[in-house]
């Protein structure tokens, strides 16, 4: 993993972290949640291409080995968090549980399914679909296929009713695959243009544009908020920060941020469980202390869990 991208994983998982922090009148940072999810799908397509693209091109890629590694990085941690959720909150067991355990829940366009149990695990459900299609997507990835996918997106965005935006635009594995495919295409562009000089000030400009996109979120058409709003910012952001040459890259290469970035997946899966537990047992804790306590506990648990299930 490129050092700056590793640290950016922490930055964007913290956006998701804050999008779920609703406590004593504090409004959740919804813009950061949608932005963070879009970033991780884009980054996954980019990093999968960086890790396996050459092997696919030269014929040494082995799908069975690749899939086994992907599943080992996803399922043990998912099942651990699901079990922790069941032990702590003792929900009524129902027919949804097997779908959640098998990471099939995001295929059902009903929030009772895709946000069931440890709700954020929908992300893994949709990501697994992209992992399955990755070898074909990388081989066939070209501008024409991208245009077809974007046209498909446009058609879906037009016809989807507003009461199904979450189910069919935010969660759907088919729609999130478009983000993943954009990450693949970004990597192919990166391979061609990686030696083109980029001034350090461009990093600052990209961050400013990201802040503006987050600011524009409440004023943006609801159907465009979950990903398209951020594509034009996050794609150049990933590209620019792979260079590791600007002033912000120097900060992102700090070893503490690198370490926190390595914990991004357990932080992502554990933080809703920590929030729910802390607000239940300490409902009167001051806001700042609650936020600090949740962050410290999530990081500590993620460090411990990461030793058993390295991401």
């Amino acid at each position: 993993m490129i050092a700056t991208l590793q640290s950016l994983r922490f930055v964007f998982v913290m956006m998701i972290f804050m999008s779920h922090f609703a406590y004593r009148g504090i409004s959740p940072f919804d813009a950061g949640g949608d932005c963070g999810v879009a970033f991780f799908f884009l980054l996954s397509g980019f990093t999968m291409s960086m890790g396996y693209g050459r092997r696919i091109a030269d014929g040494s890629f082995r799908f069975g080995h690749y899939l086994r590694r992907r599943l080992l990085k996803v399922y043990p941690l998912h099942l651990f968090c699901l079990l922790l959720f069941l032990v702590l909150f003792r929900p009524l067991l129902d027919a949804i549980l097997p779908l959640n355990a098998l990471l099939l829940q995001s295929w059902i366009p009903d929030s009772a399914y895709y946000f069931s149990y440890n709700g954020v695990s929908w992300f893994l459900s949709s990501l697994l679909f992209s992992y399955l299609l990755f070898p074909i997507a990388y081989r066939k990835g070209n501008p024409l296929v991208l245009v077809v996918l974007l046209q498909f997106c446009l058609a879906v965005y037009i016809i989807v009713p507003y009461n199904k935006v979450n189910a069919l635009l935010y969660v759907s594995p088919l729609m999130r695959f478009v983000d993943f495919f954009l990450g693949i295409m970004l990597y192919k562009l990166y391979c061609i243009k990686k030696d083109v000089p980029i001034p350090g000030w461009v990093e600052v400009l990209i961050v400013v544009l990201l802040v503006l996109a987050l600011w524009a979120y409440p004023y943006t058409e609801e159907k465009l908020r979950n990903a398209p709003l951020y594509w034009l910012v996050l794609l150049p952001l990933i590209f620019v920060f792979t260079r590791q040459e600007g002033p912000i890259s120097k900060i992102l290469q700090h070893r503490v941020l690198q370490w926190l970035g390595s914990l991004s997946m357990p932080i992502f899966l554990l933080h809703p469980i920590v929030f729910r537990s802390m607000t239940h047992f300490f409902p009167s804790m001051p806001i700042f202390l609650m936020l600090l306590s949740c962050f410290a506990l999530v990081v500590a648990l993620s460090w411990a869990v990461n030793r058993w299930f390295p991401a």
Side-chain angles (χ1 to χ4, degrees):
M1 174 70 73
I2 295 172
T4 47
L5 298 184
Q6 180 81 310
S7 294
L8 283 172
R9 291 174 67 189
F10 171 68
V11 172
F12 283 92
V13 84
M14 289 309 298
M15 287 190 185
I16 297 171
F17 178 98
M18 291 305 302
S19 76
H20 294 140
F21 186 75
Y23 176 69
R24 297 182 66 181
I26 296 293
S27 299
F29 183 38
D30 291 333
D34 286 4
C35 181
V37 167
F39 171 81
F40 280 108
F41 276 108
L42 293 168
L43 185 67
S44 294
F46 186 89
T47 55
M48 286 296 98
S49 300
M50 180 173 285
Y52 292 99
R54 183 174 298 178
R55 291 181 230 179
I56 292 174
D58 66 20
S60 62
F61 178 82
R62 296 293 177 267
F63 183 75
H65 176 72
Y66 155 80
L67 185 59
R68 185 165 56 253
R69 291 195 64 184
R70 294 301 98 206
L71 293 177
L72 285 174
K73 284 183 176 291
V74 168
Y75 265 106
L77 181 57
H78 161 60
L79 293 176
F80 171 80
C81 291
L82 177 59
L83 179 61
L84 183 62
F85 183 94
L86 294 173
V87 169
L88 288 174
F89 307 121
R90 303 177 186 277
L92 293 175
L93 303 183
D94 53 30
I96 300 174
L97 180 59
L99 288 174
N100 188 291
L102 294 172
L103 290 176
L104 297 172
Q105 69 269 38
S106 64
W107 290 98
I108 311 299
D110 181 338
S111 60
Y113 286 81
Y114 58 74
F115 286 157
S116 60
Y117 298 97
N118 187 25
V120 294
S121 62
W122 76 263
F123 172 85
L124 299 182
S125 176
S126 295
L127 185 62
L128 272 181
F129 175 69
S130 292
Y131 282 165
L132 289 171
L133 290 188
F134 167 69
I136 298 173
Y138 188 86
R139 289 191 188 98
K140 304 297 183 181
N142 60 61
L144 178 59
V145 174
L146 177 60
V147 169
V148 171
L149 276 178
L150 292 177
Q151 288 177 335
F152 164 73
C153 264
L154 177 61
V156 173
Y157 274 73
I158 290 172
I159 65 175
V160 164
Y162 283 95
N163 65 343
K164 289 295 183 180
V165 166
N166 257 0
L168 299 179
L169 300 183
Y170 182 67
V171 170
S172 168
L174 293 173
M175 297 303 293
R176 296 323 310 217
F177 173 73
V178 177
D179 301 75
F180 186 86
F181 188 81
L182 283 168
I184 293 174
M185 295 304 295
L186 178 65
Y187 175 74
K188 293 190 173 188
L189 177 65
Y190 165 78
C191 290
I192 298 170
K193 301 290 186 180
K194 63 182 177 182
D195 294 325
V196 174
I198 298 177
W201 58 264
V202 174
E203 289 187 355
V204 179
L205 175 61
I206 290 293
V207 171
V208 170
L209 292 175
L210 176 61
V211 172
L212 288 175
L214 293 167
W215 171 82
Y217 177 89
Y219 312 103
T220 304
E221 159 63 39
E222 184 181 352
K223 293 182 180 181
L224 302 177
R225 290 177 183 176
N226 61 83
L229 170 64
Y230 298 111
W231 285 343
L232 294 178
V233 178
L234 293 177
L235 288 166
L237 179 144
I238 293 171
F239 183 88
V240 167
F241 279 100
T242 58
R243 308 302 294 276
Q244 307 186 92
E245 295 173 352
I248 299 176
S249 284
K250 289 181 171 58
I251 298 171
L252 292 174
Q253 292 178 62
H254 194 282
R255 62 182 182 180
V256 173
L257 288 174
Q258 294 286 293
W259 176 71
L260 289 169
S262 72
L263 302 178
S264 59
M265 183 59 80
I267 288 174
F268 174 76
L269 288 174
L270 285 166
H271 79 272
I273 298 174
V274 169
F275 281 168
R276 183 166 172 174
S277 301
M278 290 291 291
T279 54
H280 174 76
F281 290 109
F282 306 101
S284 302
M285 185 180 290
I287 294 171
F288 179 74
L289 184 58
M290 174 61 76
L291 181 61
L292 187 63
S293 300
C294 286
F295 173 75
L297 183 55
V298 166
V299 170
L301 286 173
S302 297
W303 170 78
V305 168
N306 201 50
R307 301 186 69 180
W308 297 321
F309 311 116

